[in-house]
Amino acid sequence: MSDWNLKDQTAVCGVGHSPFGKRLNRSTIDLGGEAIRNALEDAGLNKNNLDGLIASFGTPIGADADTLAYALGLKLRMYNQTWAHGRFTASCLQWAAMAVKAGLANYVACLASISFSGFRKPMMGGASDNEGAREGGGGHGEDPVYGMTSPGAGSALIAQKYFAKYGATSCQLGAVAVAFRKHAALNPAAMMRTPISVEDHQNSRFVCEPLRLLDYCQINDGAACVIVTTSERARDLKKPPVFISGMQGLPAGREEFIWTHPGFGVAQQSVFDYQPELQPVYRMAGVTHADIDALFTYDAFSILVWSALERWGFCRPGEAAAFTQDGRIEVGGALPINTNGGLMSEGHIMGWNHQVEIVRQLRGECGPRQVANAQVIQWANAYGDSLIYRR
Amino acid sequence: MTDYKKPLPAISTLNGPYWDGLKQRELKMPSCNDCGKLWYPPAPFCPECWSRNFTWRQLSGRGTVNSWVVFHQAYFSSYKDDVPYNVAEVELEEGPRLLTNLVGIANADIVIGMSVEIVYDDVTDEVTLAKFRPTEQ
Ligand SMILES: [Zn+2]
């Protein structure tokens, strides 16, 4: 382990977002600019304070970091950008934390600004999606040559195998969609606020069987931003700091498949009995599962919530189906998950809207969906990246 | 054959021998001459020992269904008449897993673990796809 310990050395000092909607008819620069402006205002900063920018999602669906800097008249000392996709959230915040701690920048805005509706043809799945043609295959498990396209199909492969392996059902998966919609109903910013039942879930059409329409996230436009600085600076700003206590970036390799944990045995993964162990992020933050007041996870598809719960040891392999029943993952339950409504109901900002919600939960700003006395919240994905925040 | 409208593979220096193999009705994958590891998708060195000393080994073409899905949405206009169509992941006897379509079976009859064998589907003059059908008992 490095002796450069970043635990609680950096903090989120401001959060902001644009409206989320199906067809906002606004450019990604416009949306990103609004999210950054709102986050600066939340922090009590102005655009001249901002000297770092990390975009997690650039062209074609999002706004590139340098383009944003140009349009907004920012004077940046550092900027960075990941390849498109939602699995880079923790990595972006990790880089922001390192940058401010190393003095490369004082305030780094991290964001995604996206427009799915700004294109005439769908950008995920189908003829205008070139990902499956990458050398070595698509990152979501695509192979267009056999009609295998869209990220949802890769997770449908996981769901099918999970159902067969553990005797779990689509009805049980419905409980995840129902819980997130309940949260969204309490969130004025959410796109989908009409409550749904497990019956609604079961009656929704198959998209890629065994996944149904209500197992899928929203496809929408919008932007969300968090500003990272040193804890020292954050303490002097308008809002109480939310400290980044633990970080764990994105793993990769033949044993990893984006939609599940190692050992599950899809794509080229080996098959073994995965034993969730204490991950480095918990050691770094100095907490265990028992300390986590709420969990946030990348929920592009309902099954990913099960994968994440099992990967991180909140339950054993095969137990997530039962774990997510009876309101346990709802506000007021033992482990509230995605209290904003998630990508499935609040909107799909690649998980950046989840970071905004985590910060607001830890500041106690969430009104009717507030998790009582939230002290420690974890962002943890099926793929193995994670952040632990504390107030 | 010439009016095939569905997506075709991007054939490269990396995967060329794989597609050449299928055209000749051989399922071939790179196999390490130093440590014996066999891998897919094609990579220019052995992921186990990093040796570049490998040969394209012919496989049995037999395997089992590891998982499968059914597309009800036509993401490609060329698949519009095919929905609902299956995509399966077949685990080959030799270890690697391949995405493919199962033929000669109704979607409702597909079961994880069922035995399948390769069928060569010449979709154009240049491209042959590896599809799988239930193994004859
Ligand atoms: Zn080798």
Side-chain angles (χ1 to χ4, degrees):
Chain A
M1 288 298 267
S2 160
D3 57 359
W4 201 41
N5 187 0
L6 279 173
K7 179 192 175 190
D8 296 334
Q9 298 295 296
T10 65
V12 175
C13 62
V15 295
H17 62 83
S18 74
F20 309 140
K22 283 280 184 202
R23 291 192 178 275
L24 296 177
N25 198 26
R26 291 174 60 183
S27 74
T28 54
I29 291 175
D30 180 9
L31 295 166
E34 179 168 348
I36 295 171
R37 192 191 63 199
N38 288 340
L40 283 169
E41 194 179 296
D42 185 55
L45 296 167
N46 64 57
K47 86 177 177 77
N48 296 325
N49 300 119
L50 197 64
D51 53 359
L53 181 66
I54 298 180
S56 90
F57 205 100
T59 302
I61 301 175
D64 291 325
D66 52 350
T67 310
L68 270 171
Y70 189 88
L72 298 173
L74 302 177
K75 291 193 184 105
L76 301 180
R77 289 198 286 148
M78 69 81 63
Y79 73 88
N80 198 356
Q81 183 166 315
T82 66
W83 180 47
H85 297 299
R87 57 188 184 268
F88 293 92
T89 319
S91 295
C92 287
L93 279 149
Q94 203 175 26
W95 299 338
M98 289 190 290
V100 295
K101 189 60 189 168
L104 303 179
N106 290 338
Y107 299 98
V108 179
C110 303
L111 81 158
S113 169
I114 53 172
S115 170
F116 284 101
S117 74
F119 298 88
R120 300 268 171 101
K121 289 179 176 173
M123 295 297 292
M124 290 287 201
S128 43
D129 178 12
N130 288 320
E131 297 220 329
R134 289 197 299 163
E135 271 193 317
H140 305 113
E142 303 97 324
D143 191 345
V145 172
Y146 295 99
M148 182 73 174
T149 186
S150 89
S155 33
L157 270 182
I158 299 294
Q160 187 83 271
K161 190 162 174 175
Y162 192 101
F163 292 166
K165 189 170 175 182
Y166 300 118
T169 65
S170 169
C171 269
Q172 287 177 300
L173 207 43
V176 173
V178 169
F180 295 173
R181 187 60 63 86
K182 248 186 214 180
H183 294 162
L186 302 172
N187 175 9
M191 291 171 53
M192 307 299 280
R193 302 189 61 197
T194 309
I196 53 168
S197 63
V198 172
E199 291 67 37
D200 294 331
H201 173 269
Q202 289 300 293
N203 290 331
S204 68
R205 67 179 169 90
F206 283 124
V207 179
C208 190
E209 190 182 344
L211 294 185
R212 301 168 184 280
L213 185 65
L214 289 179
D215 290 310
Y216 277 65
C217 61
Q218 302 302 311
I219 292 290
N220 56 274
D221 306 343
C225 174
V226 305
I227 299 175
V228 176
T229 188
T230 60
S231 297
E232 213 172 16
R233 276 193 204 91
R235 286 191 182 94
D236 298 330
L237 296 178
K238 196 163 113 190
K239 295 277 182 77
V242 168
F243 300 102
I244 306 173
S245 289
M247 306 167 220
Q248 183 168 324
L250 197 64
R254 295 177 77 88
E255 292 301 329
E256 299 289 350
F257 183 65
I258 173 172
W259 309 129
T260 189
H261 53 67
F264 193 71
V266 287
Q268 308 303 329
Q269 287 182 320
S270 314
V271 178
F272 59 87
D273 185 15
Y274 177 71
Q275 298 293 319
E277 47 181 289
L278 200 61
Q279 300 276 320
V281 71
Y282 295 113
R283 241 170 279 141
M284 182 175 176
V287 300
T288 67
H289 298 99
D291 300 306
I292 304 298
D293 297 314
L295 178 69
F296 285 72
T297 192
Y298 191 77
D299 60 325
F301 314 102
S302 55
I303 185 73
L304 304 189
V305 175
W306 290 1
S307 295
L309 284 166
E310 296 183 4
R311 175 163 196 136
W312 296 91
F314 287 95
C315 49
R316 314 296 296 179
E319 291 178 358
F323 185 94
T324 47
Q325 308 303 305
D326 308 318
R328 196 180 283 115
I329 62 169
E330 295 170 14
V331 171
L335 183 71
I337 300 181
N338 294 358
T339 59
N340 54 335
L343 303 174
M344 294 175 67
S345 280
E346 187 190 39
H348 191 335
I349 313 295
M350 319 311 297
W352 289 93
N353 47 329
H354 296 47
Q355 313 309 312
V356 169
E357 173 82 357
I358 290 169
V359 168
R360 288 179 176 158
Q361 281 284 354
L362 289 171
R363 291 175 180 169
E365 297 174 345
C366 287
R369 64 181 193 284
Q370 180 65 43
V371 174
N373 195 28
Q375 303 281 333
V376 180
I377 294 183
Q378 184 178 12
W379 163 256
N381 281 342
Y383 201 37
D385 55 305
S386 179
L387 297 158
I388 292 177
Y389 298 87
R390 73 166 182 85
R391 58 189 288 180
Chain B
M1 237 159 40
T2 46
D3 63 348
Y4 188 77
K5 295 281 195 327
K6 289 172 180 166
L8 287 166
I11 299 179
S12 66
T13 48
L14 193 60
N15 64 23
Y18 173 80
W19 293 105
D20 291 345
L22 289 183
K23 203 175 162 187
Q24 290 152 30
R25 284 164 163 58
E26 290 177 352
L27 177 63
K28 289 158 88 178
M29 287 184 183
S31 171
C32 182
N33 294 331
D34 290 333
C35 77
K37 166 103 181 165
L38 185 135
W39 66 92
Y40 188 86
F45 18 68
C46 169
E48 191 66 39
C49 74
W50 280 11
S51 170
R52 286 178 178 273
N53 176 20
F54 65 87
T55 41
W56 285 84
R57 196 176 118 201
Q58 190 180 343
L59 311 189
S60 68
R62 288 188 299 269
T64 54
V65 173
N66 184 53
S67 190
W68 57 285
V69 299
V70 175
F71 278 79
H72 289 255
Q73 185 159 314
Y75 288 89
F76 300 102
S77 53
S78 51
Y79 272 91
K80 205 170 57 203
D81 297 335
D82 292 357
V83 289
Y85 66 91
N86 74 65
V87 179
E89 187 177 79
V90 165
E91 182 169 313
L92 300 168
E93 262 179 5
E94 294 84 356
R97 301 193 188 98
L98 271 184
L99 281 174
T100 185
N101 303 123
L102 299 181
V103 296
I105 184 170
N107 292 338
D109 295 333
I110 301 171
V111 181
I112 286 178
M114 68 188 295
S115 297
V116 291
E117 62 190 12
I118 196 165
V119 179
Y120 296 94
D121 186 0
D122 301 313
V123 295
T124 70
D125 291 339
E126 286 78 36
V127 175
T128 299
L129 300 182
K131 298 187 176 175
F132 286 78
R133 68 179 174 207
T135 307
E136 302 286 341
Q137 293 306 314

